[in-house]
Amino acid sequence: MALSLPPLQFFFVIFLVSSSLHFLPSESKLSKDYYAKSCPKFESIIQDVITTKQINSPTSAGATLRLFFHDCMVEGCDGSVLIASNAFNKAERDADINLSLPGDAFDVVVRAKTALELACPGVVSCSDILALAARDLVIMVGGPYYNVRLGRKDGFVSQASRVPANLPKSEMSMDEIIKLFHAKGFSIQEMVALTGAHTIGFSHCKEFADRLFSHSKTSQVDPDLNPKFADGLKKVCGSYKTNPTMSAFNDVITPNKFDNMYYQNLQRGLGLLASDNALIKDPRTKNFAILYATNQTAFFEAFSHAMEKLSVLGIKTGHKGEVRHRCDAFNSIKA
């Protein structure tokens, strides 16, 4: 017998069915206790590795958080940035913008993978290692807790040619940055919150040298920079053309503490990158930057939300990925 429903109820049922189908993405296969049975020591092994690494190399937290962001924004959070290039393929990590990714971050993943392969071989993906290590390192340096659901598989593609169009650059206009994040599904507020990751870590001098040495025809130095800060940076970066490793902390006040000082710095002319400075000048982002400068709790809540969203961006599950034996190589040869 045919089901008889009034038109309004009928469309409501159709809406519920279509909505439930719409919200069955691959991330629904993830769970916080994914390795509870298959690798019960997973989280404790990650904790041991990052604790040792962070104590010995205090920039590891910022480095790993940056590596995670660069991974997720290109092919999704699938460990594609970890792949090493070979004679047949120039991988993501060798794209120009990724050449400055700190070695400490890669080392965190390698150390964790090595320990996990001894404890539960062939079980834990490199992408899950990176996701959890980034979160735990953020917490270790004072940042907020946020949920990391597990069960990602490692991707089959890593190509340098796919990187430039998917990562924000310091010289981009705010229009370009907003458009890039919007294409990934992030709002302006989420973009501003994610940029708060600059409260830890460092940037190489070449990324902001034009603000010090060639800002405009009328001013060598960007007038938005605090004069004393600019003088200090010029001394640090004086030989950046011959020594490309020269760098400066993104947050000059509390460089190794995850807090809201980054946003406070913007109002004092202490924003390192041109894109940092733009946050406090563009009317679309200024109010969020000021809010996070005055209210660290609001920043932590927004950052946690944005990181949870980032951590499931473009993930692979099931047969769409694999669990690599080594994080820098596909299990079989793929482009």
Side-chain angles (χ1 to χ4, degrees):
M1 185 170 65
L3 179 65
S4 177
L5 286 172
L8 185 60
Q9 286 181 281
F10 174 76
F11 284 117
F12 182 64
V13 171
I14 292 297
F15 172 77
L16 287 177
V17 172
S18 63
S19 295
S20 63
L21 290 175
H22 178 72
F23 290 107
L24 288 175
S26 56
E27 68 248 34
S28 65
K29 299 177 182 178
L30 303 186
S31 64
K32 288 192 289 185
D33 59 351
Y34 186 84
Y35 296 110
K37 294 181 179 179
S38 59
C39 192
K41 293 185 178 180
F42 168 61
E43 293 193 23
S44 62
I45 289 173
I46 294 287
Q47 195 63 48
D48 288 345
V49 168
I50 67 157
T51 299
T52 301
K53 185 65 182 180
Q54 180 65 19
I55 290 172
N56 293 327
S57 302
T59 60
S60 294
T64 306
L65 183 56
R66 185 181 176 208
L67 183 65
F68 179 62
F69 176 77
H70 279 231
D71 181 43
C72 293
M73 290 292 281
V74 180
E75 295 290 346
C77 306
D78 66 350
S80 53
V81 74
L82 303 171
I83 292 293
S85 297
N86 56 37
F88 309 101
N89 179 55
K90 183 178 180 181
E92 281 180 35
R93 65 195 290 178
D94 285 322
D96 286 347
I97 194 173
N98 283 342
L99 293 176
S100 61
L101 288 172
D104 280 330
F106 291 97
D107 190 48
V108 165
V109 179
V110 170
R111 287 172 183 244
K113 181 63 171 175
T114 301
L116 286 163
E117 284 300 299
L118 291 173
C120 38
V123 172
V124 181
S125 68
C126 300
S127 46
D128 272 350
I129 291 171
L130 180 54
L132 193 68
R135 194 278 306 275
D136 286 358
L137 280 163
V138 165
I139 295 171
M140 190 173 176
V141 294
Y145 172 91
Y146 57 88
N147 290 321
V148 174
R149 289 179 290 159
L150 303 164
R152 296 165 191 75
K153 293 293 179 66
D154 300 322
F156 294 131
V157 175
S158 179
Q159 296 178 348
S161 60
R162 300 192 182 195
V163 173
N166 288 291
L167 285 174
K169 303 174 186 63
S170 58
E171 71 273 12
M172 278 183 170
S173 69
M174 190 51 67
D175 280 340
E176 292 172 316
I177 294 173
I178 289 173
K179 183 178 180 180
L180 189 152
F181 275 88
H182 177 74
K184 303 290 181 182
F186 294 101
S187 67
I188 292 175
Q189 183 172 9
E190 289 166 341
M191 180 272 289
V192 177
L194 286 173
T195 308
H198 287 181
T199 189
I200 52 176
F202 59 88
S203 295
H204 287 84
C205 290
K206 67 176 183 178
E207 296 182 58
F208 55 87
D210 58 336
R211 300 188 74 198
L212 303 172
F213 305 110
S214 57
H215 176 66
S216 68
K217 293 180 180 179
T218 57
S219 177
Q220 185 184 54
V221 178
D222 186 342
D224 285 340
L225 279 170
N226 178 290
K228 291 184 178 179
F229 183 47
D231 288 343
L233 290 174
K234 289 177 79 171
K235 292 177 182 177
V236 169
C237 298
S239 59
Y240 81 95
K241 289 184 178 179
T242 55
N243 185 357
T245 63
M246 298 303 294
S247 58
F249 287 118
N250 293 320
D251 171 6
V252 69
I253 306 298
T254 56
N256 293 317
K257 182 181 180 183
F258 198 100
D259 54 21
N260 68 335
M261 187 60 69
Y262 162 77
Y263 297 104
Q264 295 179 43
N265 289 341
L266 300 182
Q267 301 174 76
R268 302 167 179 162
L270 301 177
L272 188 63
L273 306 175
S275 55
D276 294 329
N277 185 55
L279 288 182
I280 203 66
K281 302 195 76 173
D282 192 288
R284 294 166 293 182
T285 56
K286 182 177 180 179
N287 288 340
F288 295 124
I290 291 175
L291 169 64
Y292 300 151
T294 56
N295 188 333
Q296 181 166 282
T297 299
F299 165 48
F300 277 16
E301 289 176 351
F303 181 80
S304 296
H305 166 78
M307 285 299 294
E308 285 187 29
K309 188 171 178 177
L310 175 68
S311 71
V312 295
L313 183 65
I315 58 162
K316 281 78 177 174
T317 58
H319 297 298
K320 294 181 180 179
E322 64 182 0
V323 174
R324 292 186 202 135
H325 305 310
R326 290 179 42 153
C327 291
D328 63 350
F330 302 117
N331 291 346
S332 56
I333 297 175
K334 294 181 183 291

